[in-house]
Amino acid sequence: RTKFFDFIIPVVPIINSTNSSEILLQKINPNSGSPQFQGILQETVFDVAPFISDMRTLQNICNEFIVYKNTLANELSLSEDKMFAIMAFKNLYPKDFSDLQNESGVVKEAFSDKQKFIYAQSEVLQHKIEHAEELLKKVHSDVLQNSNEVKFSMLISLAGSNQIVTRIYSYSSSFDVDYSRIMTDSFDLLALKKVKQCRIECRQIFSHSYYPDRSEKEIDDLSSLVSNYVDRWQAFHEAEAQGYEKLKSDIETCKLQQKNLSKQSLKNLINYYSATDVLSSQVCDNKLLVFLLRRGYIDEEYTNYINYFKGTSITKDDMNFILSVKTQTALPFDYTLNKTEMVINRLQPYEFEQKRFLIMHFWSGFLTFRKNPKSLVYFFPNFTTEVTSVGTSLILSSISQSI
């Protein structure tokens, strides 16, 4: 309500968060007479609209979208959906957007959190790999074959003189176990490392007498005598519990997870784990930002949507190719590159594994490789049956003409 002299006039808002999508849907309608908005998907409108609650903000978002689109999208092939979402963030959180342009603020922190999370997860996986490898190394280098052999060897070593321990007991600690109990799979040999002073009963291993010779010994520090055997038993016990093949499989799985982790986008990490796991509490407090990150509207290429593309080291065609690789968008077969080496330098190692996209794109620009055929070495490890005979002949022809 607003007061006009002595009158109180009710004000009915034109839009709020529940109906702002209707205004936006009218703009993207092909018959609306607003061609600037035709590239925005209805799905994007439904995603962003609930965060827009007044007409002024909506108009500002639309106006700035047109300005940024006409300024930036003429040079690069940018997603209009991402641009519209970023304009919404710009108007709803102007300070955070201003910080972003200064390479600081909550958005920058979100991508810093991504790197920290990847590093932390890689460390966890590396620890699992090293533990499993160390376990297998201990088991394979041991002269004994299994955990029971370790136990048996320990009991012989304690007794000495061709004898074997039949009982270990301690009056002070009420510890008392016999041979049959120790040799069961369920007995935890770590219990012996807690025993200091004790007595052991022994008998001859090989004896022709009906009653084997028996003897007793006083042990001052049992834990130190059995420490090496317990460690060896523990390695065998853990390996046997998990299975040797399972350990080898886990090592390969962890290495693959490490490799895949480094190539994951922030969007994928948030969706696979959770926003609270990946992002700091300061970032999570910004609900709109978390939503845009989860949906991929703000991603690793956000700088292309807020800054001019200078085009000094590479051309706009080269940059569009890089964007197509990162967004996994196909380009025409006759698409060519201008500064291939600069393009290669701007791609991450894992992006060369995108066989379907890289093979197609680099073959379509194979003429650029004639100046430097050695660049092809980047792609040889990824050649598979997906390579067609036509593509192979083009590459071989490129190399032969360059030599």
Side-chain angles (χ1 to χ4, degrees):
R1 298 186 302 172
T2 183
K3 188 174 181 180
F4 183 73
F5 294 99
D6 292 333
F7 294 96
I8 295 178
I9 303 173
V11 177
V12 180
I14 299 176
I15 69 166
N16 54 34
S17 59
T18 62
N19 63 4
S20 57
S21 59
E22 298 177 13
I23 305 297
L24 292 172
L25 288 174
Q26 291 175 5
K27 289 183 176 294
I28 68 172
N29 190 306
N31 301 320
S32 66
S34 301
Q36 303 95 330
F37 300 98
Q38 301 307 308
I40 302 174
L41 297 176
Q42 180 176 293
E43 179 184 3
T44 304
V45 171
F46 288 142
D47 278 346
V48 176
F51 296 93
I52 305 173
S53 57
D54 66 88
M55 192 66 176
R56 177 178 293 177
T57 301
L58 187 146
Q59 291 290 5
N60 286 342
I61 291 171
C62 292
N63 291 337
E64 293 193 19
F65 169 78
I66 294 173
V67 172
Y68 271 73
K69 177 183 175 181
N70 292 338
T71 305
L72 302 179
N74 287 335
E75 293 292 325
L76 302 177
S77 299
L78 302 176
S79 166
E80 294 189 19
D81 297 292
K82 291 181 180 180
M83 184 172 290
F84 183 79
I86 290 175
M87 290 303 102
F89 180 78
K90 179 180 187 295
N91 283 273
L92 292 169
Y93 294 91
K95 183 181 183 304
D96 290 330
F97 187 84
S98 176
D99 290 339
L100 177 61
Q101 290 183 313
N102 294 324
E103 291 296 310
S104 61
V106 69
V107 179
K108 194 72 176 178
E109 183 178 347
F111 289 95
S112 176
D113 289 341
K114 171 196 171 184
Q115 298 303 322
K116 293 176 183 176
F117 179 80
I118 289 176
Y119 177 79
Q121 290 297 311
S122 295
E123 287 293 298
V124 171
L125 291 170
Q126 185 61 33
H127 176 73
K128 291 181 179 179
I129 293 170
E130 291 175 356
H131 178 70
E133 288 179 339
E134 183 66 21
L135 205 60
L136 290 174
K137 181 181 178 181
K138 286 181 178 178
V139 169
H140 290 154
S141 62
D142 204 306
V143 294
L144 302 177
Q145 299 298 312
N146 53 56
S147 58
N148 279 338
E149 286 191 11
V150 174
K151 288 181 178 180
F152 192 78
S153 178
M154 179 195 70
L155 295 176
I156 292 176
S157 176
L158 282 175
S161 302
N162 199 31
Q163 291 183 318
I164 188 169
V165 173
T166 57
R167 181 188 175 199
I168 303 174
Y169 64 96
S170 172
Y171 294 119
S172 60
S173 62
S174 301
F175 182 83
D176 193 343
V177 290
D178 60 10
Y179 171 85
S180 59
R181 178 78 179 93
I182 293 173
M183 293 304 295
T184 58
D185 292 337
S186 60
F187 182 76
D188 189 352
L189 215 59
L190 288 169
L192 298 183
K193 294 188 77 171
K194 301 176 182 178
V195 180
K196 294 292 184 179
Q197 288 187 335
C198 66
R199 293 186 65 83
I200 61 173
E201 291 182 359
C202 311
R203 67 171 175 81
Q204 290 290 325
I205 301 177
F206 304 106
S207 177
H208 298 292
S209 173
Y210 183 77
Y211 298 101
D213 295 334
R214 296 181 180 275
S215 62
E216 286 195 14
K217 287 183 179 181
E218 187 80 28
I219 302 295
D220 293 328
D221 189 358
L222 180 66
S223 61
S224 62
L225 293 177
V226 301
S227 178
N228 177 259
Y229 287 98
V230 173
D231 292 341
R232 291 162 67 186
W233 168 85
Q234 194 173 10
F236 274 109
H237 180 70
E238 188 174 347
E240 288 167 358
Q242 296 188 44
Y244 297 111
E245 293 304 319
K246 177 68 164 52
L247 279 172
K248 294 176 182 178
S249 175
D250 288 346
I251 290 172
E252 294 305 316
T253 300
C254 287
K255 287 181 177 180
L256 182 61
Q257 288 176 346
Q258 267 188 328
K259 182 180 178 181
N260 291 334
L261 192 63
S262 62
K263 68 178 76 169
Q264 293 301 316
S265 64
L266 184 54
K267 170 188 173 182
N268 290 340
L269 291 175
I270 292 175
N271 287 321
Y272 184 80
Y273 298 94
S274 70
T276 54
D277 288 338
V278 179
L279 304 173
S280 62
S281 58
Q282 184 178 352
V283 177
C284 289
D285 289 341
N286 192 316
K287 302 302 180 184
L288 174 60
L289 175 59
V290 172
F291 174 76
L292 296 179
L293 291 171
R294 181 187 294 115
R295 295 284 287 138
Y297 290 119
I298 296 180
D299 60 12
E300 288 72 8
E301 305 306 313
Y302 69 85
T303 55
N304 294 318
Y305 292 84
I306 63 175
N307 296 320
Y308 278 106
F309 171 67
K310 299 298 183 180
T312 53
S313 57
I314 59 174
T315 66
K316 66 177 182 179
D317 291 334
D318 295 334
M319 190 62 191
N320 282 328
F321 172 77
I322 293 172
L323 288 173
S324 73
V325 173
K326 293 183 180 297
T327 59
Q328 298 188 351
T329 305
L331 289 176
F333 184 79
D334 57 354
Y335 195 89
T336 57
L337 301 175
N338 296 294
K339 299 181 180 180
T340 307
E341 293 301 324
M342 298 298 295
V343 170
I344 290 175
N345 291 335
R346 292 195 177 207
L347 292 174
Q348 299 297 322
Y350 67 82
E351 289 172 322
F352 291 97
E353 298 176 6
Q354 298 178 26
K355 300 166 188 169
R356 183 166 69 88
F357 299 100
L358 282 175
I359 289 174
M360 177 182 66
H361 291 159
F362 278 92
W363 280 0
S364 61
F366 75 99
L367 289 174
T368 60
F369 285 102
R370 291 181 177 176
K371 297 178 182 179
N372 186 7
K374 293 181 181 179
S375 302
L376 293 170
V377 73
Y378 284 92
F379 316 103
F380 285 153
N382 291 317
F383 281 174
T384 65
T385 53
E386 298 174 41
V387 180
T388 62
S389 59
V390 175
T392 303
S393 63
L394 291 177
I395 293 176
L396 293 176
S397 174
S398 172
I399 295 175
S400 63
Q401 292 184 28
S402 301
I403 296 177

